[in-house]
Amino acid sequence: MTLLDAITGPGDVRALPSSALPVLAGEIRRFLIEQVSRAGGHLGPNLGAVELTIAVHRVFDSPHDVLLFDTGHQAYVHKVLTGRAAEFETLRRAGGLSGYPSAAESPHDVIENSHASTALSYADGVAKALRLKGSARRVVAIVGDGALTGGMAWEALNNLASTEHPVVIVLNDNGRSYAPTVGGLGAHLGALRSGRAEPGNLFQDLGLAYLGPVDGHDPADLECALTEAAALGRPVVVHCVTRKGKGYPPAEQDQADHHHAVSATGSNGGRTWTDVFGAEIAAIGEDRSDVVCLTAAMQGPTGLDAFAERFPQRVFDVGIAEQHAVTSAAGLAMAGLHPVVAVYATFISRAFDQVLLDVALHRLPVTFVLDRAGVTGPDGPSHHGMWDASVLPVVPGLRLAAPRDPARLRELLREAVAVSDGPTALRYPKAAAGADIPAVRRIGRCDVLREEPDPVGLLIAVGPMAKACLEAAEELAGHGVPVDVVDPRWTAPLDPALVKLAAAHQFVLAVEDTTATGALGGRLAQALAVLGAPTRVGTFALPASFLPHGSRAEILRAHGLDAAGITTTVLKRLKEHS
Ligand SMILES: Cc1ncc(C[n+]2csc(CCOP(=O)(O)OP(=O)(O)O)c2C)c(N)n1
Ligand SMILES: CC(=O)[C@@H](O)[C@H](O)COP(=O)(O)O
Ligand SMILES: [Mg+2]
């Protein structure tokens, strides 16, 4: 029986003698390495948070005290210490443990959103409420150095600094996001870590108490500092210095790669959309010296490494700061360049105002490349890229494209960076990019992929849905239901040629890897209604809800967005209207 076997909750962690803590930490590391290497997930961040999380649970009393994990990818140790070790076999799998805190799993879990830089704002709000309710519960925010590069974090610190709220800010400083933390803050934290804080202390200058730097892998140091912080009764930063991947040499030596380890079964193989983008943007960089790229602390994951290697002066990592990235891109465009902002689709939501009023209002040539669009998979509801294709079409002058295959990604990316009078955006999923799908002919901006002599309907295959739509069309032909298939390529604004093509069919179904609200199908239906066309238009997309984690294929299949589901839906809807 190991110490870990006996941990059913934080009470068991607090009951351990200090002498047992290094043994427990070692057991937890071995457990994480085994579990995460098999299932995939955030190995490096969690190996770095072992002692820190043990200390937090020994000094504070969750769930009476409120523990707020920023981003939440480093909460595996928290899950182990709150009685969920036995469920780790199911980590990030459909129906199993989430890779982030989940209130449905435990009363110890609070923030479910995996978007960084939010924990201090939650802490500010929770602390204000507890104060008004006369509660003595304490509030603890565990925040990474990378998350501190997000603007929200400083909006919250600005507020917290003017209060006497007992908020303990555990700064988990390993000096990195994926890559080393950038900017003046990265340098300042480095100076504080080394004790060379000649320019003073940013946190103290704001009016916050500061304790540190503390060895984030020394249980006694950590408990002493957290106990002192808890007794202060005012907002305090406990600056813990940790190492990402601690205790596992491969993760310590290649910290970026082990930030998010792929499962032992490996990825689904094959060239990904990100690979295709990465090669093409580097080629474009050769042809267009005005093209520059921006990343929000995710140069590698968004495929910009090749461009950065070739053009180091033309790629800008702004930290986890998507809002700043977009408006800085607006500045770059105002000064005559063509910026490409590469972010995951889910994170562009954070910068909608900047896209709308800092870029589009000025009709600036900024191109947004939205990776991980649509159903993302194991990262769960706040990582699915399900809202960009609904919100971006309301931006006046913005053109949105969805490539169906590698050739179209290259083609549409070049079309996008050739636009000089407004913003453009491309979106593609976290998946193998598959083979090229040739067009029969082009109408307007659309590619006709299949054309029947006497079709009963039209499938509008948006982006990566093309393959499943063509397979469905083949199945439908076997049922004596011939349908045409068209790929719009540019999904917003609506192509008049697409509207005209749809008006020529009795039945049209738009198949989309995005939430149904605001999708292309709805906008097409409105346009056809204005024309008075008799066409029946349907949208076949994801529900307007938060989808749990699982594999991309499982989730798409569950919502009928595979060939079989599309076939069934077409037959069902044709029958309803017969
Ligand atoms: C708004 C937002 N942008 C990007 C990401 C992707 N992301 C996940 S973890 C991470 C790095 C976080 O660094 P840090 O806060 O220092 O935590 P660490 O992994 O070092 O423990 C990033 C950029 C995110 N989760 N949220
Ligand atoms: C927590 C976070 O936002 C990232 O680490 C994300 O989990 C990475 O996902 P990918 O594996 O799709 O790059
Ligand atoms: Mg970090």
Side-chain angles (χ1 to χ4, degrees):
M1 177 97 159
T2 64
L3 294 176
L4 186 52
D5 291 340
I7 300 287
T8 61
D12 299 327
V13 183
R14 286 193 288 272
L16 289 173
S18 301
S19 59
L21 298 182
V23 174
L24 176 62
E27 290 177 3
I28 291 173
R29 282 197 165 86
R30 283 190 292 280
F31 176 82
L32 290 176
I33 292 164
E34 191 271 324
Q35 293 287 343
V36 179
S37 302
R38 176 186 46 75
H42 290 90
L43 184 56
N46 283 283
L47 289 173
V50 172
E51 290 82 4
L52 177 152
T53 310
I54 290 172
V56 164
H57 276 293
R58 283 170 62 85
V59 173
F60 296 96
D61 177 19
S62 171
H64 175 73
D65 293 329
V66 183
L67 303 190
L68 302 166
F69 286 87
D70 196 293
T71 320
H73 64 303
Q74 80 297 51
Y76 296 3
V77 182
H78 164 75
K79 292 200 174 199
V80 165
L81 298 180
T82 50
R84 286 171 273 179
E87 298 168 71
F88 257 71
E89 297 286 330
T90 68
L91 182 68
R92 297 159 43 89
R93 289 183 2 213
L97 276 185
S98 165
Y100 301 89
S102 164
E105 285 177 22
S106 168
H108 295 281
D109 290 10
V110 182
I111 303 175
E112 302 186 348
N113 177 16
S114 60
H115 289 202
S117 318
T118 64
L120 296 177
S121 295
Y122 281 105
D124 177 60
V126 169
K128 284 169 179 166
L130 294 178
R131 171 63 57 92
L132 285 172
K133 295 169 76 173
S135 166
R137 295 170 68 191
R138 293 159 308 176
V139 180
V140 183
I142 297 97
V143 186
D145 54 299
L148 272 191
T149 59
M152 260 182 87
W154 293 91
E155 293 165 22
L157 285 174
N158 180 45
N159 280 260
L160 282 166
S162 61
T163 73
E164 288 301 308
H165 294 156
V167 173
V168 176
I169 300 163
V170 180
L171 171 53
N172 174 18
D173 182 5
N174 50 33
R176 309 176 70 96
S177 287
Y178 285 76
T181 297
V182 297
L185 177 66
H188 184 64
L189 291 178
L192 291 178
R193 284 196 300 268
S194 65
R196 296 183 339 270
E198 53 279 337
N201 180 305
L202 207 49
F203 304 106
Q204 289 172 331
D205 293 347
L206 261 185
L208 297 156
Y210 171 88
L211 298 175
V214 178
D215 178 347
H217 299 297
D218 181 316
D221 270 7
L222 283 163
E223 284 192 39
C224 175
L226 291 175
T227 303
E228 185 181 345
L232 275 181
R234 58 181 282 239
V236 52
V237 173
V238 182
H239 185 184
C240 304
V241 180
T242 63
R243 182 166 176 76
K244 214 163 195 176
K246 176 78 176 177
Y248 183 47
E252 291 196 57
Q253 285 141 29
D254 188 342
Q255 298 184 40
D257 253 12
H258 285 79
H259 167 88
H260 193 212
V262 175
S263 70
T265 53
S267 65
N268 46 17
R271 182 184 46 171
T272 65
W273 291 91
T274 311
D275 296 334
V276 176
F277 163 68
E280 192 64 13
I281 193 64
I284 290 170
E286 298 285 355
D287 305 339
R288 292 272 304 272
S289 61
D290 63 321
V291 168
V292 293
C293 293
L294 294 94
T295 174
M298 299 181 83
Q299 176 180 292
T302 56
L304 288 178
D305 280 341
F307 185 96
E309 192 174 327
R310 182 74 191 76
F311 311 108
Q313 304 305 316
R314 289 162 51 190
V315 64
F316 307 107
D317 179 354
V318 299
I320 310 180
E322 286 82 3
Q323 294 173 328
H324 168 66
V326 173
T327 305
S328 179
L332 284 157
M334 279 176 170
L337 298 181
H338 190 118
V340 173
V341 179
V343 293
Y344 287 5
T346 187
F347 301 134
I348 199 67
S349 320
R350 178 163 281 188
F352 176 73
D353 187 69
Q354 288 75 18
V355 172
L356 182 69
L357 298 177
D358 292 326
V359 175
L361 176 65
H362 301 89
R363 293 178 299 286
L364 293 168
V366 177
T367 296
F368 299 98
V369 174
L370 308 177
D371 198 337
R372 275 54 170 187
V375 169
T376 300
D379 274 304
S382 53
H383 255 80
H384 294 312
M386 291 174 52
W387 297 283
D388 58 292
S390 297
V391 297
L392 293 179
V394 305
V395 177
L398 182 142
R399 302 165 175 89
L400 175 62
R404 67 173 182 272
D405 59 17
R408 259 40 68 177
L409 173 48
R410 290 190 285 270
E411 178 184 82
L412 287 165
L413 181 58
R414 286 185 179 268
E415 289 178 23
V417 298
V419 172
S420 59
D421 64 350
T424 51
L426 277 75
R427 67 190 307 267
Y428 46 79
K430 177 181 185 178
D436 287 340
I437 300 172
V440 172
R441 64 191 174 99
R442 176 151 306 168
I443 304 178
R445 294 193 294 272
C446 308
D447 275 349
V448 176
L449 305 182
R450 179 186 178 109
E451 212 158 25
E452 293 284 352
D454 184 19
V456 300
L458 171 68
L459 287 184
I460 299 177
V462 176
M465 293 291 103
K467 182 172 182 290
C469 285
L470 284 168
E471 291 168 356
E474 195 58 32
E475 286 178 37
L476 287 163
H479 289 276
V481 179
V483 296
D484 291 347
V485 180
V486 67
D487 166 10
R489 294 188 331 115
W490 292 94
T491 61
L494 278 177
D495 181 351
L498 180 69
V499 177
K500 189 174 172 198
L501 185 65
H505 288 76
Q506 310 158 20
F507 167 83
V508 173
L509 189 68
V511 184
E512 307 181 62
D513 180 8
T514 187
T515 189
T517 309
L520 178 144
R523 291 182 280 120
L524 179 62
Q526 284 177 328
L528 289 168
V530 167
L531 285 179
T535 304
R536 295 191 311 275
V537 188
T539 297
F540 190 40
L542 297 165
S545 57
F546 296 110
L547 302 184
H549 58 277
S551 78
R552 172 174 163 84
E554 281 170 336
I555 297 171
L556 288 173
R557 185 163 51 250
H559 292 281
L561 288 168
D562 60 356
I566 296 164
T567 302
T568 304
T569 299
V570 170
L571 292 174
K572 180 167 168 281
R573 297 210 185 168
L574 283 173
K575 189 174 177 194
E576 284 164 358
H577 293 293
S578 61

